[in-house]
Amino acid sequence: MRSSGLSLDQAPPEDIPFRFFLTAPVFGLLAGSLILYRGVIVFSSSWHFETIALTHLITLGWIMMIMMGAFYQLVPVLAGGQVPWIALSRAVHFFMIIGILALAGGLIQISQLLFPVAISALLLAFTVFLTQLLTALFRVKANRPVVVAMRISLISLALAVSLGVLEIGAITGLWPPLIERSIVKNLHVTLALSGGIGGLIVGVGFHVIPMFYLSSPFPEKRAVWILRAGMFSLAAVSVMLLNSAGSALLFTAMLPGVTASIIFTLTVWQMLLKRKRKVVDATLRFWQIGLLAFPLSLLCLAAHLFWPDERLTFAFGLLFLMGFAATITNGMLYKIVPFLIWFHRFSTLVGKVKVPLLKDILPAKRTSGQLLQAALAMLTLLPGALLQIDWLVRAGAIFWLISSGWLFLNLIFAFRQKPVTND
Amino acid sequence: MIPDSVPGGHSIITVDCRELEPPEPMVVVLEAVDKLQKTEVLKMLHRQVPRPLFPLLEERGMLTHLDKFEDGSIELWIWQEVQ
């Protein structure tokens, strides 16, 4: 016997997840502005400093902000863990903003002095965040798939951040490089994307798909297998990278993880198709776009092992970060934010006054318009980057800017929903 | 089949929430609870344990009995305490 229900009585104050969620589209606007300003140059080399700045505006500014808000919210409600020193989460948010802005500013060469600021602020933010969440998750006795997935995600993030800091310090001459830069870069990307981002999305997906889309539960044995295969590949690929293994060995190490990702995608797709309530809304489409982009991104990554063409790196980056991670986190905001607003502000009023439903807190016409802009951004940025067409890349940037701004306004609209008082 | 802990002789009002999306199950049940007579018992059918509902039922002074099934679905019986 088990339950996939959410327990909200241990949830954090509403301002904690909301401040992280609301910051994500602001960094989306900064990322879009950088693409619009520099055009196709940001898709010319993955070593280009402006490309690294853009990548981190999306990974740290958008994806990580939503992930942190989600961790603070979901660890108590999905895993039953109590996050300690919860008030410090506001400081984590503040130092994340300082750290990301300083990192991006340093990388686009505003001033070298910004790098030590970035390192200090990001290290502080991640140290507090990881200590809070790992403490909460390792106190939880249950080894349910969602708990295991969250632990994998946090440990991967801890390693990825350490490698990222090593790399910035080496680039800026703060300390000598300990390992070859390409090894650090590949390990950093593997741990951050596959373990950190992939781990959380997969783990949360096990629970939120049945809950929000009225589907059958995710088969538990399959979830366990997916996590084991993913962990095996993550460890094997890391060891291979450290030993500068060849493409064939790396591909073999990746295979169980890629297979697990495809099985996850097919299972969730099937669950969504067989959902009990056949309502089609923007969040469903965000999930479907994300689920299509996920295996395609992995295909590009595998192809890159044998054909080391930089365009495949960009195809992987765009499909994984914008197509999969940013898209699914965007869709989940549209489910989680209205639900939290309803729970915190309206649930105690049921039966006393007429309370709104989720569709009243965030109407469908607002979210479907943004979905279209997000999809157009992907459809223009991808060919623009692959074929190196500057105007197409800049058009994609405009769609991405509109999409980010629209998401921001939608979240503000939802946050303004409060019970009407008759005083 | 009425569980032993649920008072007998009451008329049963069934509320099927299995195809409602959050937070509609809570709204539907709480509205039904507010109209519930002392001679009635509410039977909620849902696909999962409605954890956020329990503090709100407690606040209204309701008594509950929960049956969980292998597929994760539940039957929640709700009635008023008879003084």
Side-chain angles (χ1 to χ4, degrees):
Chain A
M1 293 222 257
R2 62 191 190 86
S3 138
S4 59
L6 296 172
S7 159
L8 282 149
D9 44 351
Q10 293 178 306
E14 66 168 35
D15 75 283
I16 288 179
F18 288 173
R19 69 181 60 224
F20 286 94
F21 295 158
L22 200 54
T23 313
V26 178
F27 278 106
L29 287 169
L30 289 177
S33 305
L34 182 59
I35 305 174
L36 183 63
Y37 177 58
R38 298 297 284 153
V40 78
I41 287 174
V42 291
F43 298 113
S44 55
S45 160
S46 62
W47 288 102
H48 201 292
F49 272 19
E50 285 171 341
T51 309
I52 303 172
L54 172 66
T55 308
H56 287 85
L57 284 173
I58 296 168
T59 50
L60 293 177
W62 179 299
I63 300 166
M64 200 59 224
M65 279 290 177
I66 299 177
M67 281 175 62
M68 282 180 160
F71 264 115
Y72 285 125
Q73 181 63 44
L74 297 180
V75 164
V77 301
L78 287 185
Q82 194 73 273
V83 180
W85 320 293
I86 193 71
L88 283 179
S89 317
R90 298 180 182 104
V92 170
H93 175 253
F94 175 77
F95 285 108
M96 278 297 287
I97 293 175
I98 301 293
I100 302 163
L101 289 176
L103 178 64
L107 287 166
I108 60 173
Q109 296 178 6
I110 293 173
S111 166
Q112 284 280 312
L113 294 174
L114 289 170
F115 285 116
V117 177
I119 291 176
S120 317
L122 289 173
L123 264 183
L124 186 61
F126 272 104
T127 304
V128 175
F129 166 74
L130 291 166
T131 308
Q132 284 175 298
L133 272 299
L134 283 169
T135 305
L137 277 176
F138 280 95
R139 276 182 188 160
V140 175
K141 293 265 186 327
N143 280 324
R144 286 180 296 140
V146 65
V147 177
V148 175
M150 284 176 163
R151 285 176 186 158
I152 295 172
S153 173
L154 290 170
I155 293 168
S156 303
L157 284 173
L159 295 169
V161 171
S162 311
L163 290 164
V165 167
L166 270 184
E167 184 76 346
I168 308 172
I171 288 172
T172 54
L174 288 172
W175 47 71
L178 296 178
I179 319 170
E180 194 195 319
R181 274 187 62 197
S182 62
I183 294 177
V184 177
K185 177 189 157 192
N186 289 337
L187 259 180
H188 170 75
V189 172
T190 302
L191 289 162
L193 271 49
S194 313
I197 297 173
L200 182 65
I201 291 180
V202 166
V204 170
F206 293 152
H207 279 264
V208 294
I209 298 290
M211 183 194 168
F212 283 121
Y213 300 96
L214 314 196
S215 73
S216 54
F218 198 100
E220 192 150 335
K221 279 184 187 160
R222 202 176 303 173
V224 171
W225 185 86
I226 285 171
L227 292 175
R228 282 184 185 160
M231 264 195 294
F232 172 81
S233 274
L234 198 58
V237 169
S238 301
V239 172
M240 300 286 174
L241 286 172
L242 278 169
N243 289 292
S244 306
S247 299
L249 273 176
L250 271 172
F251 181 75
T252 311
M254 271 173 66
L255 215 50
V258 172
T259 310
S261 308
I262 292 170
I263 289 174
F264 170 79
T265 304
L266 292 174
T267 308
V268 173
W269 193 275
Q270 198 69 9
M271 285 162 67
L272 288 173
L273 282 184
K274 289 186 178 168
R275 69 194 186 284
K276 284 182 188 144
R277 203 178 194 193
K278 302 288 181 195
V279 176
V280 175
D281 61 12
T283 69
L284 178 80
R285 294 292 183 229
F286 275 115
W287 261 102
Q288 287 175 323
I289 293 171
L291 289 173
L292 282 175
F294 191 29
L296 283 177
S297 72
L298 296 176
L299 199 67
C300 293
L301 185 64
H304 182 260
L305 290 176
F306 298 100
W307 297 280
D309 185 325
E310 196 74 315
R311 285 174 302 178
L312 285 169
T313 312
F314 286 113
F316 164 71
L318 280 168
L319 283 166
F320 189 93
L321 295 177
M322 285 184 164
F324 166 63
T327 303
I328 285 182
T329 49
N330 190 151
M332 286 324 296
L333 282 186
Y334 284 153
K335 282 289 184 194
I336 293 174
V337 167
F339 185 76
L340 292 180
I341 286 174
W342 187 90
F343 183 79
H344 282 291
R345 301 180 189 173
F346 296 100
S347 65
T348 53
L349 301 174
V350 174
K352 296 168 189 162
V353 294
K354 186 166 168 45
V355 295
L357 292 178
L358 300 195
K359 61 178 186 285
D360 306 313
I361 292 172
L362 195 48
K365 63 179 179 194
R366 285 183 163 268
T367 53
S368 53
Q370 193 245 323
L371 166 73
L372 179 66
Q373 301 302 318
L376 286 172
M378 269 310 293
L379 290 174
T380 40
L381 280 173
L382 200 56
L386 290 182
L387 304 171
Q388 296 287 295
I389 303 170
D390 189 66
W391 68 266
L392 208 51
V393 166
R394 289 181 204 261
I398 293 171
F399 287 126
W400 179 259
L401 280 168
I402 298 171
S403 167
S404 301
W406 203 321
L407 171 63
F408 181 76
L409 293 177
N410 282 347
L411 294 178
I412 291 285
F413 178 87
F415 293 146
R416 285 193 173 154
Q417 305 299 312
K418 286 183 181 144
V420 179
T421 53
N422 294 323
D423 304 336
Chain B
M1 181 86 167
I2 303 175
D4 291 343
S5 60
V6 176
H10 285 36
S11 47
I12 300 168
I13 297 169
T14 304
V15 180
D16 189 347
C17 300
R18 286 174 295 184
E19 298 195 8
L20 297 180
E21 66 176 333
E24 285 175 65
M26 284 171 74
V27 176
V28 172
V29 167
L30 290 173
E31 282 175 351
V33 160
D34 288 337
K35 290 178 198 149
L36 201 66
Q37 303 295 314
K38 288 210 163 86
T39 53
E40 293 170 333
V41 59
L42 195 77
K43 180 183 169 190
M44 176 196 195
L45 307 177
H46 198 21
R47 57 190 183 280
Q48 63 192 31
V49 180
R51 288 190 186 142
L53 182 62
F54 290 105
L56 301 173
L57 290 174
E58 202 175 311
E59 188 189 287
R60 285 163 163 81
M62 307 306 287
L63 298 176
T64 57
H65 172 91
L66 179 72
D67 282 330
K68 291 198 270 185
F69 303 104
E70 281 301 321
D71 63 353
S73 67
I74 61 106
E75 276 181 15
L76 178 64
W77 298 80
I78 307 165
W79 66 96
Q80 288 185 40
E81 195 169 9
V82 180
Q83 300 296 327

